[in-house]
Amino acid sequence: MSAQLIDGKKVSTEIKKQIREDVENWVLAGNRRPFLKVLQVGNDPASTAYIRAKTRSCSEVGIDTDTAHLPDTVSARELKSVIRSFNNDDSIDGILVQLPLPSHLSSHDVIESIDHRKDVDGFHPMNVGRLSVDQPTFKSCTPAGIFELFKYYSIPTKGKHAVVVGASNIVGTPMAVMLSRENSSGKATTTICHKFTRDITIHTITADILVVAAGQPNLIKAEMVKEGVVIIDVGINRIADETSEKGYKLVGDCDFDSLKKKASWITPVPGGVGPMTVAMLMKNTLLAAKKSIYPEE
Ligand code: NAD
């Protein structure tokens, strides 16, 4: 078998085109252009690259944005006071605090200080909780993007065995929640593996759909899956590459070359899940501007 490629770049371009039209119609109807405020603490190069991709997408879809910078020595109190000022600023629709934060700051604490009505990443406990009980919410962007890929390529999840490797708050856990809900989204029987799972192969080998978000290059190899599996590789890992100008290349968590011979569908890295995550951020920002999730009283 040779897997069909799930082209996140193509699908995200189509979704962003639709978002651009929706944004222009919103503005033509007399509304202010949506505005996304990004906050970067410190100057981690990977974070800077992610923010660049997000702000580029904003300009593609017609969403205004700017990035505030704080030094990596900022105190929790100072950071939260800046976030509070964004919460209270009516010209800001969405707030994104780029993660990870320096180790002296608690990301839980910082995320909770964002007004959940502006939490376009979908990381605030209010939005995560609403996701778990099938209420309208800002869905965490990466799982939401993966569901758009399932929809686009008509990949069924209902009744399937889905295995998620990785249980982080921002990817693995919301992905497993969305896959497992019986009244919305996934309707799949779902297994979550994490670093304490004794033998992940026992689980991955039975997966109809395998979503991998562990941040471990080459974790999943062909002998760990069954013929016809759908592989969604969320991992983005920088590994040294002397042949590249940058000195590194990006790889996922899955051994693409061996898996593509066994899977029915597979996402590449880059160009798979990554661009979808950014497209969903654009979607959530427009939803925030329209007050679609949390209507004004
Ligand atoms: P994280 O470090 O917060 O969580 C990693 C999870 O993987 C943990 O639950 C851990 O227990 C599990 N894990 C680690 N090693 C394991 C192993 N050997 N076996 C089983 N489980 C293992 O990471 P995260 O923020 O969820 O990100 C995961 C990966 O996805 C990273 O490479 C990150 O760069 C990437 N990512 C990609 C996108 C995207 O849009 N494509 C978005 C977010 C994160």
Side-chain angles (χ1 to χ4, degrees):
M1 176 175 276
S2 182
Q4 300 190 69
L5 200 68
I6 297 177
D7 187 346
K9 199 155 191 300
K10 179 178 112 184
V11 180
S12 67
T13 302
E14 288 183 23
I15 289 176
K16 283 192 285 186
K17 200 166 154 243
Q18 182 60 53
I19 296 173
R20 164 140 215 135
E21 266 179 53
D22 294 348
V23 168
E24 292 315 320
N25 287 335
W26 174 248
V27 174
L28 277 174
N31 299 294
R32 179 177 51 67
R33 200 166 274 284
F35 182 55
L36 172 67
K37 189 81 183 186
V38 179
L39 183 52
Q40 181 175 18
V41 181
N43 50 14
D44 169 57
S47 291
T48 304
Y50 289 133
I51 291 173
R52 204 181 307 121
K54 289 167 188 175
T55 52
R56 200 185 309 125
S57 280
C58 281
S59 72
E60 279 167 32
V61 303
I63 288 177
D64 285 338
T65 185
D66 78 23
T67 303
H69 294 269
L70 290 171
D72 56 11
T73 51
V74 71
S75 69
R77 181 192 284 263
E78 284 167 312
L79 173 56
K80 285 197 278 184
S81 131
V82 170
I83 292 173
R84 243 188 330 271
S85 72
F86 297 162
N87 289 342
N88 294 330
D89 183 341
D90 287 340
S91 69
I92 294 175
D93 299 301
I95 301 170
L96 181 154
V97 178
Q98 184 64 43
L99 300 177
L101 292 170
S103 56
H104 69 282
L105 297 166
S106 151
S107 55
H108 292 291
D109 222 24
V110 170
I111 289 166
E112 272 203 70
S113 73
I114 298 172
D115 184 334
H116 63 274
R117 294 165 300 186
K118 297 188 178 188
D119 165 43
V120 286
D121 258 336
F123 294 164
H124 190 286
M126 172 72 114
N127 289 315
V128 178
R130 287 172 70 99
L131 183 75
S132 312
V133 291
D134 291 331
Q135 288 303 297
T137 188
F138 294 114
K139 290 181 182 147
S140 173
C141 297
T142 302
I146 294 170
F147 268 87
E148 288 291 334
L149 292 173
F150 291 152
K151 190 163 96 186
Y152 187 91
Y153 288 102
S154 304
I155 296 172
T157 57
K158 184 174 163 186
K160 303 289 181 189
H161 182 211
V163 176
V164 181
V165 180
S168 71
N169 290 341
I170 64 172
V171 187
T173 298
M175 185 70 215
V177 167
M178 286 177 72
L179 280 164
S180 64
R181 296 302 297 167
E182 63 176 327
N183 295 321
S184 62
S185 329
K187 300 180 173 64
T189 305
T190 306
T191 301
I192 310 184
C193 301
H194 43 59
K195 60 181 176 231
F196 299 114
T197 303
R198 272 206 296 266
D199 176 1
I200 62 170
T201 304
I202 294 173
H203 307 285
T204 57
I205 199 92
T206 67
D208 301 308
I209 297 168
L210 181 60
V211 181
V212 191
Q216 305 288 327
N218 255 350
L219 178 67
I220 306 296
K221 302 175 187 71
E223 60 270 23
M224 298 168 70
V225 301
K226 70 178 181 188
E227 197 79 29
V229 64
V230 175
I231 301 275
I232 306 291
D233 189 353
V234 182
I236 302 178
N237 307 291
R238 281 184 181 206
I239 59 165
D241 178 12
E242 283 164 15
T243 64
S244 142
E245 238 175 60
K246 296 178 193 152
Y248 68 87
K249 66 174 178 179
L250 297 180
V251 298
D253 290 350
C254 297
D255 176 16
F256 183 86
D257 289 337
S258 71
L259 284 161
K260 75 171 186 228
K261 297 186 191 117
K262 215 166 171 189
S264 55
W265 293 93
I266 190 164
T267 58
V269 177
V273 176
M276 295 302 295
T277 299
V278 183
M280 292 302 103
L281 176 68
M282 301 299 109
K283 183 176 169 187
N284 278 349
T285 305
L286 179 58
L287 289 173
K290 289 185 168 179
K291 314 243 179 298
S292 304
I293 307 289
Y294 299 105
E296 277 178 333
E297 273 134 34

